Amino acid sequence: VQFVESGGGLVQPGGSLRLSCAHSTIMVSFNVMAWYRQPPGKQRELVARIAANGRTDYSAFVEGRFTISRDNAKNTVSLQMNSLRSDDTAVYYCNVFPMRNDLWGQGTQVTVSS
């Protein structure tokens, strides 16, 4: 069973989006959860992660703009993205950290363009 991501779309530079992901059996509260992204023509990269104890880490290119969070009751992980830039355009995925290849979902497309 794969993760299911949602919340992507087209947004203007400087705008915001909130992504969400869910899984039917993986307990987000027990795992290090992460958001990854794959920009056009590039490799997939780590964006942010949240540990079971709530500690968060961010890649330098999103630090201060994105916030990862977890809702244990709903078993979901979210990514609040503010001050979006054109180079944030990518397909965004969630997965555990370290990633598991069997859990990749379809991702959600985020396009930042005027």
Side-chain angles (χ1 to χ4, degrees):
V1 180
Q2 299 165 330
F3 281 101
V4 178
E5 301 91 352
S6 62
L10 173 64
V11 64
Q12 292 186 340
S16 299
L17 281 174
R18 186 176 180 86
L19 309 182
S20 183
C21 87
H23 197 281
S24 60
T25 58
I26 297 290
M27 299 300 294
V28 301
S29 58
F30 294 161
N31 289 276
V32 180
M33 299 300 304
W35 281 94
Y36 303 81
R37 72 184 186 186
Q38 187 166 16
K42 297 183 179 180
Q43 292 188 337
R44 198 170 293 175
E45 58 191 7
L46 176 67
V47 174
R49 61 186 178 185
I50 182 167
N53 64 5
R55 173 177 171 168
T56 56
D57 294 289
Y58 298 91
S59 295
F61 49 79
V62 304
E63 183 81 50
R65 300 187 298 123
F66 291 10
T67 303
I68 188 171
S69 61
R70 185 180 61 219
D71 186 328
N72 293 338
K74 296 181 180 179
N75 202 41
T76 58
V77 180
S78 296
L79 185 69
Q80 177 67 42
M81 306 186 297
N82 299 327
S83 302
L84 283 161
R85 310 184 307 217
S86 58
D87 58 2
D88 293 318
T89 295
V91 180
Y92 285 72
Y93 304 85
C94 72
N95 204 320
V96 296
F97 181 90
M99 65 181 77
R100 280 178 47 181
N101 285 328
D102 61 319
L103 297 179
W104 291 116
Q106 294 298 308
T108 186
Q109 175 71 49
V110 172
T111 302
V112 185
S113 175
S114 55

